[in-house]
Amino acid sequence: MKRARSILLATAARYLMPLMLIFSVFLLLRGHNEIGGGFVGGLVAASALMLYGIALSPAALRNLLPLEPRLLVGLGLLAALTSALLPVLAGRPFLTGLWLKTPLPVIGKVGTPLLFDMGVYFVVIGVVLWILLSLAEEEAQ
Amino acid sequence: MTWLLAITAGVLFAAGLYMILRRSLVKILVGLALLSYAVNLLLFNSAPLLPARPPLLPPGNGAPPEVYADPLPQALILTAIVISFGVTAFAVVLMRQVYGTLGTDDLNEMRCTDVPCEEVEIASEEEQMEEPL
Amino acid sequence: MLTRQLTWLIVTLAGGVLFAAPAALLRRRAERLAAPLLALLPLAAFVQLLAALPAVRAGETAQVRFDWAPALGLSLTFTLDGLGLVMGLLISGIGALVILYGGAYLHGHPALGRFYTLLLLFMTAMLGIALSGNALLLFIFWELTSITSFLLIGFEHERAGARAAAWQALLVTGGGGLALLAGFALLAVISGSFEMTVWAAQAAEIAVHPLAPAAFWLILAGAATKSAQFPFHFWLPNAMEAPTPVSAYLHSATMVKAGVFLLARLFPVLGGLPLWTPALTTLGLLTLLGAAFLALGQTDLKRLLAYTTVSALGMLVFLLGLGTPPALKAATLFLVTHALYKGALFLTAGSVDHGTGTRELPRLGGIGRAMPFTAAAGGLAALSMAGLPPLVGFLAKELVYETTLTTVAPLLLSALTLLANAATVVVAVWIGWQAFWGRPGDRSLHPHEGTPGLWGPPLLLALLGLALGLFPSLSGGWLIAPMTAAILGHSVNVKLALWHGLTPMLGLSALTLLLGIGLAALRRTLQPRLAAFWRALAPFGPANLYHRFVHGLLSLASWQTGLLQSGYLRIYVLVIVLTTVSLAGLTIILNDVPLTLSPWQPPRFYDFVLVGVILTAALLVTRSRSRVATIALLGSIGFSIAVLFLLYSAPDLAMVQFAIETLTVILFVLVLYKLPKFSRLSSAPTRLADFFFALTGGLLMTLLMLLVSRHTSDASVAAYYAANSLAQANGRNIVNVILVDFRGLDTLGEMTVLAIAAIGVFSLIRLGGKAGRKQRAVTKGERAK
């Protein structure tokens, strides 16, 4: 099924998408202290990418992605699991938060919960894209 | 607002139930969506509703403010919303597939996918054994 | 020293489990070597047990214990005492022979590998029972034997008869197993432990406890089902559907003795109960006599033997019930004796079947010339069964009569025992003499001797019976004394002899033989009449009762499944919601929950706006017939809720809700035109009924919310999170800190669920793609035609 594509939307998506992605990373990184977090960040990023995918084409989005969505899901789960297991290596209980002493500029304090949140971020992006992109690609066939 | 919210959730719940009782496949999907809204509101209403008191700690030593909204229901709802998206997506695709395979959207016509429609003789093996004392 | 041997035995047990599965492979790789190699495992156990015998005989016991789930009272306690040791010798010794025999008997059978696997597993479980010191551990092994027995009876599962018999055995012994567990639990309640040594130490307190009789009956039910006591005996003859080596091993020599073994094991604990003797002796006598005369009506060799096995088990329970030292000596000796001769006879029956193609006694006769070794094995074993000197069966019978003559009712009990023993003699003559040397029944049979694997093991068992009889002091001092001592809890002196002089016991033995041989000669008249008699009685028997029970249960199950599993989603939803509503309503009414609702606070203007939008959309969406409108209405509900979150201090929720709504719209748009239209299918009355039903559900929900928001004023959890958010987790956004730190494990679970949902969607699409392509191909093909 071919759909007429809106040039306006396509152009807007091309410029909006990177901005929204940056915003999503911003949401992710400051989420521990202000409004935001991995879930919101991931959803915003996924919306941005899907907007791009719908405005241009699923194939264009697929070309843009450096990784398969399902690999993103795996990566996210791996990141979360790593953050959970790192304290075990350090002799602390599973999922204990470990923090670096000195805060980094912009981001603030860095610790395993941030890695965990990044895991959430990637899982959410991966899941949403995996579902919607599969549907969209099937639609495009 | 507690009252209003309770009534809203009740209506959403009733509407969801009503929709889930329909025979049409797509209506069940709508019912699921309504029910998840209702449940989220139920969770949200389990703590006092406070306008403009988000559960954020102010800058400084991290002492909590005098009054703040309960963060626990919020954390619960947050994941519930995201999960319900996964569930909805799964349900949508499942129903699309069912519709494509069976060619009907009437649940009553799908009965035979769940229960044997012909009467099946059971316990036939028991009879095949001789009965000693 | 003894402990080391026990540890090695436990290692052997673990080996049995480990090698069970590869055993099947071994068979495929090395058909000839498989049986001898696998027999090494039980042989190892046998040698270890033999090595432990001197120490155990001297009165030593050993215990090895690993804590598994101490909170549940479950520790892997293994003990080695006289009772377990002799039982273990029987299990491992006969086990090794049965594996060798099975290899020959099932030679070329496609499922021989499965046979080895199951047999090894069974043997391990059975040895586990003999060595368990903890009741829960014993129970686990007990159930394992039930399961392996089920699988072995149903070994030839292509036959409906085998399947039905397997089911029956599993249901009867499994039901008994549940009773047993309940009995153990009661004893644990009384004593505070599942360790059987603890129970024995507290025997005096247990005996007077009000719960003790209940525990006793439950444990007796477990033992009686396992050891095929009346009225649960019927599963054992039916279990003869199993291949003969299995019948020999499980259903005569070892597993069916587990019940008797358990009773002996618990004799120190429950033997002091006033119930013990009356209950066990009655049960034992009923089984002993009933089964003995049931046996005489049988024509199939294996069923014949099976009923005599039931009878022998009745004898054992009867003797344990008497509980006096001579009775216990008789019980232990008879247990060993029976395992030897009955194992041998079963294996012989299998060889006869193998060599002639039939097990029907009337067709057999005079086959001894063609099958000399089998005939020798069968004959020797039958002599022991009949109780002729110098075989061990004679010793056992003498001891039994010695016991019955010293009871409170010597005449009655001796007479009843004599009757049963005479019936046993009849069977012994029929099998040991008639089949091999009697008048040929069917001349069309072409009997031939099998491979050594088929006659070696039974001959060895029969010879062992002879050896134990020839050296009575040896068998008495080394086997029976330690075993009896373990039951009694103190050492005993066992003096066995072939010649005691002219005693009343000798007279009874002679009488038994005479009566038995006389009856045996009347086979052609006796057997059909008894068979007809029992057939006439069968409709009133427990087997028929069992059938009716099972049939009734299945009918009930299918009726209630039909009732609950209607296949209509709406019925399921109705049942679930109605149950919830009525349970919640009942709780509110029964517990007198004060109906103090949340106080009414005047809402603000924008509350009304938002709620108005949500309510309107919710009502419209139930009436909508347009797909686009429905999506728009659902979206407006979602966005209103998001605004509501924003207004009431949940900015994170608001953002998530906004994003999800957007994505949901995208989702629906993608599949919209592949979904069916909104058709109205239900009738108006149904819709009305559903409306009221939904209304009830909604009302309950509202009521609950108003009640709940009134009653949860405990903010300590929230306070804890707020107080520790920055200090412990370096975060100021408490919601996010809960998600990624305080309740991180939950979130990890949520992520996994999300991933699974995505995998599900993806597989559905892939599956649909494939099915769709196939469908298209089919249509194309049809069009081409």
Side-chain angles (χ1 to χ4, degrees):
Chain A
M1 192 175 70
K2 287 262 171 191
R3 261 178 299 162
R5 308 216 172 269
S6 152
I7 296 176
L8 214 60
L9 182 65
T11 318
R14 226 186 276 270
Y15 291 102
L16 267 178
M17 197 268 296
L19 283 177
M20 281 174 78
L21 276 185
I22 291 170
F23 179 57
S24 80
V25 174
F26 168 70
L27 279 176
L28 164 70
L29 290 182
R30 66 157 206 170
H32 217 52
N33 290 314
E34 298 292 331
I35 298 161
F39 278 106
V40 185
L43 288 169
V44 168
S47 310
L49 291 167
M50 271 324 287
L51 178 72
Y52 184 86
I54 287 189
L56 279 88
S57 75
L61 175 58
R62 180 73 76 178
N63 286 336
L64 192 74
L65 288 177
L67 279 177
E68 288 257 336
R70 51 180 141 170
L71 287 181
L72 274 180
V73 175
L75 197 74
L77 281 176
L78 198 70
L81 210 60
T82 311
S83 86
L85 286 175
L86 273 179
V88 177
L89 290 182
R92 310 280 295 278
F94 188 70
L95 268 170
T96 316
L98 298 180
W99 296 87
L100 287 182
K101 287 268 160 33
T102 46
L104 296 181
V106 185
I107 301 173
K109 278 207 157 193
V110 174
T112 52
L114 185 67
L115 184 61
F116 189 88
D117 222 7
M118 285 166 70
V120 174
Y121 178 81
F122 282 119
V123 167
V124 169
I125 297 181
V127 164
V128 172
L129 283 187
W130 195 3
I131 293 175
L132 294 182
L133 204 54
S134 319
L135 281 170
E137 280 173 346
E138 200 201 20
E139 184 85 349
Q141 270 178 10
Chain B
M1 186 57 191
T2 302
W3 272 80
L4 268 190
L5 210 56
I7 292 167
T8 312
V11 170
L12 281 174
F13 193 66
L17 267 184
Y18 179 80
M19 288 307 269
I20 223 171
L21 287 169
R22 305 275 52 79
R23 273 163 63 182
S24 161
L25 207 54
V26 268
K27 290 190 177 169
I28 287 166
L29 216 57
V30 176
L32 276 179
L34 289 173
L35 283 180
S36 65
Y37 288 138
V39 170
N40 285 347
L41 286 187
L42 172 100
L43 282 174
F44 196 54
N45 211 13
S46 66
L49 297 172
L50 303 168
R53 299 277 184 218
L56 297 171
L57 301 177
N61 62 355
E66 282 288 303
V67 185
Y68 55 92
D70 191 340
L72 191 61
Q74 295 195 16
L76 293 177
I77 298 170
L78 202 150
T79 46
I81 297 172
V82 181
I83 291 248
S84 77
F85 173 77
V87 172
T88 309
F90 185 76
V92 166
V93 174
L94 179 68
M95 286 185 182
R96 197 198 60 169
Q97 224 73 312
V98 166
Y99 180 59
T101 311
L102 298 178
T104 175
D105 66 331
D106 184 351
L107 275 171
N108 279 12
E109 287 177 23
M110 295 174 197
R111 233 191 119 218
C112 301
T113 57
D114 199 25
V115 288
C117 283
E118 300 98 61
E119 283 301 311
V120 181
E121 187 58 37
I122 55 153
S124 49
E125 282 201 359
E126 276 298 317
E127 264 100 68
Q128 299 203 11
M129 204 159 52
E130 47 183 308
E131 295 192 12
L133 196 67
Chain C
M1 179 62 199
L2 201 55
T3 312
R4 211 180 63 195
Q5 260 135 7
L6 181 56
T7 314
W8 273 111
L9 275 168
I10 298 166
V11 171
T12 315
L13 286 188
V17 176
L18 277 180
F19 286 120
L25 292 177
L26 186 63
R27 184 259 161 156
R28 214 168 295 157
R29 293 262 163 235
E31 166 100 47
R32 251 165 215 300
L33 280 177
L37 275 178
L38 290 174
L40 284 179
L41 199 81
L43 203 65
F46 188 78
V47 170
Q48 285 156 7
L49 285 163
L50 268 188
L53 192 51
V56 169
R57 181 173 175 251
E60 271 187 62
T61 56
Q63 195 171 65
V64 173
R65 177 178 168 152
F66 312 92
D67 278 333
W68 182 5
L72 298 174
L74 181 55
S75 30
L76 307 180
T77 312
F78 293 92
T79 47
L80 187 60
D81 63 357
L83 182 61
L85 189 142
V86 178
M87 198 70 194
L89 281 175
L90 289 176
I91 296 162
S92 54
I94 300 180
L97 291 177
V98 164
I99 287 181
L100 290 176
Y101 181 90
Y105 185 81
L106 291 172
H107 179 75
H109 194 289
L112 182 56
R114 177 154 51 90
F115 172 80
Y116 287 142
T117 302
L118 292 174
L119 210 65
L120 270 186
L121 272 181
F122 166 77
M123 198 187 64
T124 311
M126 196 64 216
L127 269 176
I129 290 183
L131 297 177
S132 294
N134 180 295
L136 282 179
L137 183 64
L138 187 143
F139 175 76
I140 291 168
F141 285 127
W142 180 281
E143 292 294 276
L144 251 177
T145 62
S146 287
I147 293 166
T148 41
S149 158
F150 164 75
L151 292 170
L152 282 167
I153 297 173
F155 183 69
E156 287 164 9
H157 53 78
E158 300 85 0
R159 286 187 299 112
R163 293 198 297 270
W167 247 123
Q168 192 179 58
L170 185 69
L171 284 180
V172 174
T173 54
L178 286 181
L180 180 70
L181 182 61
F184 282 166
L186 280 184
L187 280 183
V189 167
I190 297 172
S191 67
S193 168
F194 278 104
E195 295 291 314
M196 292 197 279
T197 44
V198 175
W199 291 354
Q202 297 188 14
E205 294 97 90
I206 289 175
V208 294
H209 197 279
L211 282 176
F216 167 75
W217 286 116
L218 286 167
I219 289 172
L220 184 61
T225 46
K226 196 79 161 180
S227 282
Q229 297 297 296
F230 181 85
F232 306 112
H233 63 275
F234 53 88
W235 72 264
L236 185 55
N238 288 336
M240 295 301 122
E241 290 283 351
T244 305
V246 173
S247 308
Y249 191 37
L250 274 71
H251 304 122
S252 85
T254 57
M255 188 190 86
V256 290
K257 301 241 164 62
V260 174
F261 172 82
L262 180 74
L263 290 175
R265 186 48 103 212
L266 293 181
F267 179 77
V269 183
L270 298 171
L273 255 67
L275 276 169
W276 177 273
T277 301
L280 260 62
T281 47
T282 313
L283 189 71
L285 271 179
L286 265 176
T287 313
L288 168 68
L289 279 167
F293 285 93
L294 271 164
L296 297 187
Q298 305 299 321
T299 54
D300 181 289
L301 283 185
K302 278 179 74 180
R303 292 187 78 91
L304 198 64
L305 287 170
Y307 278 108
T308 57
T309 304
V310 175
S311 175
L313 293 167
M315 173 76 91
L316 287 169
V317 171
F318 167 65
L319 290 171
L320 281 176
L322 289 176
T324 55
L328 292 179
K329 280 181 219 168
T332 47
L333 180 60
F334 187 60
L335 190 149
V336 175
T337 307
H338 178 259
L340 292 179
Y341 77 67
K342 197 52 73 65
L345 279 176
F346 261 113
L347 295 182
T348 308
S351 302
V352 167
D353 191 8
H354 201 268
T356 64
T358 183
R359 293 196 312 250
E360 284 298 309
L361 189 59
R363 291 182 67 195
L364 295 168
I367 59 171
R369 200 178 299 275
M371 307 177 71
F373 296 111
T374 311
L380 256 179
L383 285 179
S384 183
M385 181 173 175
L388 248 67
L391 286 107
V392 69
F394 172 73
L395 298 175
K397 193 184 283 181
E398 293 282 285
L399 261 188
V400 169
Y401 283 133
E402 192 183 327
T403 309
T404 57
L405 283 172
T406 53
T407 53
V408 281
L411 266 180
L412 177 71
L413 289 183
S414 302
L416 291 177
T417 318
L418 190 143
L419 265 180
N421 279 342
T424 312
V425 173
V426 174
V427 175
V429 173
W430 284 354
I431 294 182
W433 177 260
Q434 194 85 44
F436 291 109
W437 310 109
R439 205 142 33 94
D442 184 345
R443 292 190 183 279
S444 65
L445 297 179
H446 297 288
H448 58 87
E449 188 68 282
T451 52
L454 282 171
W455 51 260
L459 195 59
L460 203 61
L461 283 178
L463 284 173
L464 218 64
L466 180 63
L468 287 185
L470 282 175
F471 303 100
S473 57
L474 218 63
S475 40
W478 286 83
L479 296 177
I480 307 311
M483 210 173 170
T484 317
I487 302 175
L488 276 173
H490 55 79
S491 63
V492 283
N493 217 347
V494 178
K495 281 209 177 88
L496 299 178
L498 283 169
W499 181 250
H500 289 284
L502 287 171
T503 55
M505 286 83 85
L506 193 64
L508 286 174
S509 276
L511 201 60
T512 312
L513 272 178
L514 281 178
L515 187 62
I517 293 171
L519 282 174
L522 299 173
R523 180 174 68 84
R524 275 165 223 279
T525 48
L526 188 67
Q527 202 169 42
R529 282 190 199 177
L530 263 176
F533 174 69
W534 291 124
R535 246 199 312 281
L537 223 56
F540 312 101
N544 195 35
L545 210 67
Y546 163 86
H547 276 293
R548 268 191 279 168
F549 171 72
V550 170
H551 194 82
L553 198 68
L554 286 175
S555 307
L556 181 75
S558 87
W559 171 77
Q560 72 94 19
T561 307
L563 197 71
L564 295 178
Q565 307 290 319
S566 58
Y568 297 111
L569 181 66
R570 47 175 284 115
I571 305 285
Y572 300 155
V573 176
L574 278 174
V575 169
I576 293 169
V577 175
L578 274 181
T579 314
T580 315
V581 170
S582 27
L583 282 182
L586 263 180
T587 314
I588 292 176
I589 294 167
L590 289 182
N591 293 344
D592 268 339
V593 176
L595 284 175
T596 41
L597 305 179
S598 222
W600 168 267
Q601 290 150 339
R604 287 172 294 178
F605 170 68
Y606 49 76
D607 292 342
F608 279 116
V609 175
L610 281 176
V611 167
V613 171
I614 295 175
L615 291 185
T616 318
L619 293 180
L620 282 178
V621 89
T622 58
R623 314 278 307 160
S624 163
R625 309 203 46 186
S626 145
R627 289 176 288 196
V628 177
T630 306
I631 292 170
L633 286 169
L634 280 179
S636 63
I637 296 177
F639 283 115
S640 305
I641 290 181
V643 174
L644 208 142
F645 286 150
L646 193 61
L647 289 176
Y648 286 94
S649 315
D652 291 288
L653 289 191
M655 289 185 74
V656 170
Q657 185 84 52
F658 277 127
I660 285 287
E661 285 310 322
T662 314
L663 288 168
T664 308
V665 169
I666 295 179
L667 171 75
F668 275 113
V669 167
L670 284 176
V671 295
L672 187 64
Y673 292 100
K674 291 200 174 160
L675 286 177
K677 288 202 170 63
F678 281 62
S679 33
R680 178 166 290 166
L681 297 164
S682 327
S683 62
T686 316
R687 288 207 298 277
L688 192 68
D690 288 350
F691 170 74
F692 282 111
F693 172 74
L695 206 63
T696 324
L699 271 177
L700 177 84
M701 191 82 161
T702 304
L703 183 68
L704 283 180
M705 278 173 76
L706 289 175
L707 282 172
V708 164
S709 52
R710 171 85 183 113
H711 286 279
T712 46
S713 49
D714 180 18
S716 57
V717 181
Y720 171 83
Y721 286 144
N724 292 297
S725 181
L726 190 64
Q728 287 194 11
N730 292 315
R732 295 180 189 279
N733 180 352
I734 307 176
V735 175
N736 196 58
V737 169
I738 291 177
L739 284 175
V740 301
D741 200 325
F742 289 136
R743 310 288 313 159
L745 192 61
D746 292 353
T747 310
L748 198 60
E750 317 257 13
M751 292 159 73
T752 317
V753 172
L754 274 180
I756 291 169
I759 291 170
V761 169
F762 179 68
S763 340
L764 273 174
I765 292 174
R766 286 285 288 267
L767 208 69
K770 254 179 216 163
R773 267 197 296 281
K774 209 178 274 175
Q775 190 62 43
R776 276 194 290 279
V778 170
T779 348
K780 220 178 268 173
E782 274 168 5
R783 225 174 280 152
K785 273 178 199 165

